[in-house]
């Protein structure tokens, strides 16, 4: 594998449904460059090639000047959501064939008698049983002989699958032994005839669930390993195509893939474990925001990523994005460490409607990118949030996406007139009032979810700043901040390409895990310490295998999943590195008490404390991308025009500014609209905007004395 050049340019790539975004960091000039290329859904790698060629030419670089490509992708995520991955089979311990049907034995809704469970991820006819299992201590209680292995391999050959996952009960305690069984089944597979749609070299891969992710809970472990096998062929085809097209341009730099944990992986690592990359797009934006928070001296932030279908938030404190160890994708549990992103509401394409009771509703249905909002002029007739921005004057029909895409105000008004008529309003400006009402509803929904999400973490919104990005995030940010009680907003210089910037600044990272069910005492603490040492050895070996040079020493981040004895679920407790030596049980117990007290307001010092899972993350630091400070401004921003904007139930004359004309220290007061190529920013009355030396725009409330 080629190694990353310490002097070569870094290019971050984020493939979206409408545009593919690029951010180039020139390490020699210490400058950032941005580019947006129309996506090519039929062949996503083609848009990447076209954008790379344009970006290289625009910046006067040679292909050999590129040091590394860092790529965020939603290919795996979309395949899971749309259920269009590979055909996967499953081999489980005898008696556990229904592991996916039973799941966690929970109904989708306790109050809806018509609710039905989702179809299992894999059909039952592709699940086989084998006489192999471990007890709770990891000792073998049953094991198949050569005849049983050969018989099971023959059954696998009849399943017509691309891959098979082996999951044994309590296999997480013996991942190497489970992997041995998977290898034996692989060896025993008979030669298979080629399918018409495949090459003659077709081979069924037999994978171990515990080797993929050795964590307790057989259902979740099965899902993680099965999803990994499910998306592997798709991702392999895409990245092979991408590498081919990049080579045609003369770009031979290594390709790194951004991961769900906010880091990045080598291409080989991502192909071996594509499940690590399914949430790479949202995670990249949060990582970029965490870096921005450090640069702008904003210790606590909530990111706000508003796209076409939904809006997401994540929390970052002191430059560290919040991580969670469990989330859901496509209705399936994912028990991997990922950046904690939560959906909170509507997106720019969310439809506006009136229900059967005459109540105005926003979402969850979306017009998508095609046909999109009525204002796009692509045949869509439903009013959306974007149509509301246009009708109220927040958007300029001729300045959308820097003027590259024309909007049609008359079509937005016609769609909103239909909404107003359903509400019984046919007076002049009915469409504008309907639009304003819909925006207020969307804002209230978002603010409610944001406050609830922070409350569940024991956090106060007033202590956080909002960092919006995505196409619509900066447009809606001031409304959301005011409604949710956040008094400060920080808008990046290029919010529309922010996820690509996150990819360009991503460090190498991988998480390692080992489950161990023990009650904490000094002997258990010694066992935990020994496992951490083993995980550290594995982590450092993995980092060396990436073939990617870093800067300085890697960071190690240990954590434990802990609970009071008898509780059903654990708290993830992060610990500092290096840990004290020798490691004492009292030290670990006190760390758990503090975290439990922070979240729930009490501690139970009489209850025993259990450990279920030991975690370790390793971070290999790459070159940090930092743009040059901007030229100082005059202190007063100069508007280039004015227009009427409907806010808070009435029309206001808003000053219109161009973002690229604002210099450091420039100040402007709302109501105002700031336009730039990749987004539009609204500043409400009673708020003030100011730019900093890095080009970030800060919005603050203005008190009665006129001070922000």
């Amino acid at each position: 594998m080629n190694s990353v050049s310490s002097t070569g340019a870094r290019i971050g790539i984020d493939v979206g449904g409408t545009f593919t975004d690029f951010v180039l960091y020139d390490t020699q000039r210490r400058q950032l460059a941005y580019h947006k290329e129309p996506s090519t859904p039929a062949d996503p790698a083609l848009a990447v090639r076209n954008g790379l060629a344009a970006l290289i030419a625009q910046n006067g670089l040679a292909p050999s000047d590129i040091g590394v490509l860092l790529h965020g992708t939603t290919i795996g995520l979309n395949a899971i959501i749309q259920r269009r991955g590979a055909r996967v089979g499953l081999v489980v311990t005898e008696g556990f064939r229904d592991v996916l049907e039973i799941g966690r034995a929970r109904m989708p809704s306790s109050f809806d008698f018509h609710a039905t469970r989702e179809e299992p991820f894999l059909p039952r006819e592709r699940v086989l049983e084998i006489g192999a299992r471990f007890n709770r201590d990891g000792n073998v209680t049953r094991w198949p002989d050569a005849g049983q292995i050969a018989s099971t391999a023959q059954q696998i050959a009849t399943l017509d699958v691309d891959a098979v996952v082996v999951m044994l009960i309590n296999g997480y305690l013996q991942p190497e032994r489970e992997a041995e069984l998977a290898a034996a089944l692989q060896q025993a597979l008979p030669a298979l005839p080629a399918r018409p749609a495949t090459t003659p070299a077709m081979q069924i891969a037999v994978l171990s669930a515990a080797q993929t992710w050795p964590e307790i809970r057989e259902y979740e472990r099965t899902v993680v390993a099965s999803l990994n096998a499910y998306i592997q062929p798709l991702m392999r085809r895409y990245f092979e195509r991408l590498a081919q097209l990049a080579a045609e341009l003369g770009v031979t730099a290594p390709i790194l893939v951004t991961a769900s944990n906010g880091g990045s992986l080598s291409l080989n690592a991502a192909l071996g474990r594509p499940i690590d990359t399914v949430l790479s797009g949202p995670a990249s934006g949060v990582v970029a925001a965490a870096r921005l928070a450090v640069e702008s001296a904003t210790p606590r932030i909530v990111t706000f990523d508003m796209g076409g279908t939904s809006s997401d938030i994540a929390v970052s404190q002191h430059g560290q994005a919040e991580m969670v160890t469990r989330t859901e994708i496509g209705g399936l549990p994912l028990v991997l460490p990922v950046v904690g992103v939560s959906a909170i509401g509507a997106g720019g394409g969310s439809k506006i409607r009136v229900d059967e009771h005459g109540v105005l509703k926003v979402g969850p249905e979306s017009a998508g990118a095609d046909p999109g909002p009525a204002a796009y002029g692509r045949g869509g007739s439903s009013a959306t949030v974007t149509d509301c921005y246009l009708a109220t004057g927040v958007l300029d029909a001729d300045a959308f996406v820097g003027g590259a895409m024309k909007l049609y105000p008359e079509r937005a008004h016609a769609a909103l007139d239909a909404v107003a008529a359903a509400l019984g309003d046919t007076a002049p400006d009915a469409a504008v009032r309907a639009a304003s009402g819909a925006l207020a509803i969307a804002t209230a929904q978002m603010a409610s979810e944001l406050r609830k999400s922070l409350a569940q973490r024991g956090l106060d919104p007033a202590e956080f700043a909002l960092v919006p990005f995505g196409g619509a995030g900066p447009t809606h940010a001031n409304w959301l901040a005011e409604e949710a009680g956040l008094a400060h907003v920080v808008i990046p210089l290029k919010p529309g390409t922010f996820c690509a910037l996150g990819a360009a600044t991503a460090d190498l990272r991988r998480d390692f895990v080992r489950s161990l069910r023990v009650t904490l005492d000094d002997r258990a603490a010694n066992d935990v310490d020994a496992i951490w040492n083993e995980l550290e050895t594995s982590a450092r070996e993995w980092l060396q295998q990436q073939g990617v040079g870093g800067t300085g020493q890697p960071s190690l981040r240990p954590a434990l999943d802990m609970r009071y004895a008898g509780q059903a679920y654990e708290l993830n407790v992060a610990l500092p590195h290096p840990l004290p030596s020798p490691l004492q049980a009292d030290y670990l117990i006190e760390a758990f008490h503090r975290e439990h007290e922070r979240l729930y307001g009490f501690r139970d010092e009489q209850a025993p404390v259990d450990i279920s899972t030991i975690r370790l993350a390793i971070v290999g630091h790459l070159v940090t991308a930092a743009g040059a400070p901007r030229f100082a401004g005059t202190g007063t921003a100069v508007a280039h025009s004015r227009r009427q904007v409907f806010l808070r139930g009435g029309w206001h004359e808003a000053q219109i500014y161009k973002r690229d004309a604002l210099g450091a220290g420039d100040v402007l007061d709302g109501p105002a609209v700031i336009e730039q190529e990749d987004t539009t920013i609204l500043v409400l009355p009673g708020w003030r905007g100011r730019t900093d030396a890095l080009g970030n725009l800060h919005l603050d409330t203005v008190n009665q004395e006129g001070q922000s």
Side-chain angles (χ1 to χ4, degrees), residues 446-671:
M446 293 177 188
S448 176
E449 290 299 318
L450 188 153
R451 286 193 297 264
K452 181 174 70 175
S453 184
L454 290 179
Q456 289 171 341
R457 296 168 166 88
L459 302 174
D460 181 1
E463 298 177 355
F464 286 79
L466 192 68
V467 178
F469 51 89
T475 309
H476 212 98
N478 205 169
W479 276 313
L480 176 59
E482 187 171 73
E483 181 75 15
L486 286 79
H488 187 53
V489 180
V490 184
I491 303 170
L493 180 63
K494 297 286 186 179
T497 55
F498 208 57
C499 289
L501 176 63
T505 58
D507 291 322
L508 290 167
R509 173 171 174 154
R510 183 174 165 187
D511 292 88
F512 294 80
V513 67
R514 185 81 59 81
S515 285
L516 179 71
R517 296 184 296 180
V518 293
T519 298
L520 256 176
D521 55 24
D522 285 335
R523 179 177 178 179
N526 289 335
D527 292 340
V528 170
D529 199 21
I531 291 174
W532 260 326
N533 288 332
E534 293 174 13
L535 294 180
E536 180 175 342
T537 299
S538 298
R540 292 186 183 278
E541 289 175 354
W542 173 85
L543 192 59
Q544 290 179 348
Q545 293 167 1
Q546 300 312 291
V548 179
T551 59
Q553 291 297 314
S555 298
L556 293 167
R557 298 174 183 172
L560 291 172
D561 288 357
M562 308 169 73
R563 65 184 180 186
Y564 289 124
Q567 289 182 323
Y569 285 92
E570 299 82 14
L571 292 181
N572 180 257
V573 181
L575 296 163
H577 187 271
L579 292 160
S581 182
L583 189 61
Q584 301 289 334
D586 289 346
Y587 174 83
L588 300 177
I589 291 171
E590 176 58 26
F592 171 74
H593 284 322
R594 287 198 304 269
E595 181 65 7
H596 194 279
E597 189 171 27
R598 184 186 72 81
L599 287 172
Y600 301 112
F602 74 96
R603 59 169 67 199
D604 185 354
E605 297 189 356
Q606 306 305 313
V609 174
D610 292 344
I611 290 176
S612 64
T613 303
I614 302 163
R615 302 181 185 275
L616 183 71
I618 188 167
V619 180
H621 302 285
L622 299 178
V623 178
T624 300
R630 306 190 67 202
F631 293 108
T634 62
T636 302
V638 179
H640 78 90
S641 64
R642 303 166 183 258
R643 72 167 173 262
Q644 295 292 308
V645 179
F646 194 88
L647 301 169
R648 298 173 178 168
W651 290 101
H652 296 255
E653 185 176 68
Q655 304 269 26
I656 311 301
Y657 299 87
K658 294 295 184 184
R659 182 80 183 265
D660 57 11
L662 298 179
D666 284 0
V667 176
L668 56 90
D669 287 325

Side-chain angles (χ1 to χ4, degrees), residues 326 344 513:
R326 181 187 175 98
I344 64 163
V513 67

Side-chain angles (χ1 to χ4, degrees), residues 403-430:
M405 181 176 175
K406 179 176 174 56
L407 298 181
Y408 298 87
E410 68 280 2
R411 300 187 184 188
H413 277 273
L416 287 162
D417 276 332
V419 173
L423 292 170
D425 186 355
T426 58
D429 276 350

